[in-house]
Amino acid sequence: MSKEEVAAADTSEQPITKAPYWDPPPAPLLDTSELSRWSLYRAAIAEFTATFIFLYVSIATVIGYKSQAAAETCTGVGYLGVAWSFGATIFVLVYCTGGVSGGHINPAVTFGLLVGRKLSLVRAVLYIVAQCLGAICGAGLVKGITGRSYETLGGGANSVSDGFSVGAAFGAEIAGTFVLVYTVLSATDPKRTARDSFIPVLVPLPIGFAVFVVHLATIPISGTGINPARSLGAAVMYNQHKAWKDHWIFWVGPLLGATVAAFYHRFVLRGEAAKALGSFRSTGAATART
């Protein structure tokens, strides 16, 4: 056997090196010391830019699809293409910004991570402001490029679709955001990240697919918000009664869905409820013996 063959055999038999598992403690709620760190503002800029790009690509796809369909029926990318646009763009942006800001690009995701004690209130507020401003600027760029088509084709703004009630749209937004935030928390779980550290695109991939499948399910009902910044940016630029009439759905629904997902992941999947109950029973038994 040659030296090259021996070296190749030794390499193939070596186990894959995985990152050590470390579960960080809960983030402090009010960590004002972050305000003096450039890393916080760099992360906020990354969130602004990523949300700007997300709104530009996704809303431009929606306007382009409606424009093509208006010119000739059954043409354009269709709902499937719109869903792919949203999901693939999120995949790319999470991959690009994950190492800087975590790649939230969504106030509901940020809020869910806040509820799950993954980041401080200071960082969460700054992220949400940056995301909303980025979304407004991204939708504004689409409006500037598409001109009158933006107004006549609805501006990509979310609203309750004909044939569906406000309650149905509200429930769809809760369920859709639950799926998204549940996927984010599962994909970024420290134990899973350590186990699959040798697969560099694992975290962005399921998140992008979650956005894709939720859009397939929810576009016919509410146009799919699951991202308050996305809904706000389009509504601000479109600025018609239809966009603002039920706008609360696209904030309350996603934030509620994110909260449920955070509690489910923390207390059920991570077993914190069982751990707390076991600790309570142990303390009670010890007290009884004394």
Side-chain angles (χ1 to χ4, degrees), residues 49-105:
T49 305
T51 314
F52 172 86
I53 295 171
F54 175 58
L55 263 289
Y56 168 67
V57 174
S58 58
I59 299 301
T61 302
V62 172
I63 298 301
Y65 157 59
K66 289 186 175 182
S67 178
Q68 291 170 319
E72 185 177 350
T73 307
C74 298
T75 59
V77 296
Y79 283 166
L80 182 62
V82 172
W84 269 120
S85 175
F86 278 83
T89 306
I90 286 295
F91 165 72
V92 171
L93 293 173
V94 171
Y95 181 78
C96 292
T97 62
V100 179
S101 66
H104 298 187
I105 322 171

Side-chain angles (χ1 to χ4, degrees), residues 278-290:
S279 177
F280 174 77
R281 288 177 176 176
S282 299
T283 304
T287 303
R289 286 197 296 269
T290 57

Side-chain angles (χ1 to χ4, degrees), residues 247-280:
H247 185 70
W248 65 271
I249 293 174
F250 304 102
W251 278 89
V252 180
L255 295 182
L256 184 57
T259 301
V260 175
F263 282 133
Y264 173 68
H265 182 266
R266 180 177 178 182
F267 293 108
V268 178
L269 297 187
R270 294 303 304 271
E272 290 194 19
K275 293 176 184 177
L277 181 61
S279 177
F280 174 77

Side-chain angles (χ1 to χ4, degrees), residues 2-19:
S2 65
K3 293 182 179 180
E4 291 77 7
E5 291 173 336
V6 172
D10 291 342
T11 302
S12 63
E13 292 175 0
Q14 292 177 356
I16 297 174
T17 302
K18 300 179 182 179

Side-chain angles (χ1 to χ4, degrees), residues 100-265:
V100 179
S101 66
H104 298 187
I105 322 171
N106 184 337
V109 171
T110 300
F111 186 75
L113 293 176
L114 173 65
V115 173
R117 301 294 302 278
K118 302 295 184 181
L119 73 165
S120 69
L121 179 62
V122 172
R123 184 172 291 263
V125 170
L126 192 59
Y127 274 23
I128 291 173
V129 171
Q131 290 157 359
C132 290
L133 292 176
I136 293 171
C137 292
L141 179 59
V142 177
K143 182 176 182 179
I145 292 174
T146 57
R148 294 186 60 186
S149 297
Y150 186 88
E151 300 290 346
T152 58
L153 297 175
N158 291 120
S159 62
V160 180
S161 300
D162 295 337
F164 291 93
S165 66
V166 170
F170 184 56
E173 288 297 308
I174 294 174
T177 312
F178 174 88
V179 172
L180 172 59
V181 177
Y182 166 55
T183 304
V184 170
L185 291 169
S186 298
T188 58
D189 187 282
K191 185 178 293 186
R192 180 185 295 273
T193 303
R195 185 188 67 194
D196 300 324
S197 59
F198 57 92
I199 308 177
V201 297
L202 181 66
V203 171
L205 189 59
I207 296 173
F209 266 107
V211 173
F212 167 66
V213 297
V214 168
H215 274 76
L216 286 181
T218 318
I219 284 176
I221 303 173
S222 63
T224 309
I226 68 169
N227 184 333
R230 173 261 185 271
S231 300
L232 178 67
V236 168
M237 287 296 107
Y238 183 53
N239 199 28
Q240 300 292 329
H241 174 71
K242 183 179 181 180
W244 293 114
K245 179 182 178 183
D246 300 311
H247 185 70
W248 65 271
I249 293 174
F250 304 102
W251 278 89
V252 180
L255 295 182
L256 184 57
T259 301
V260 175
F263 282 133
Y264 173 68
H265 182 266

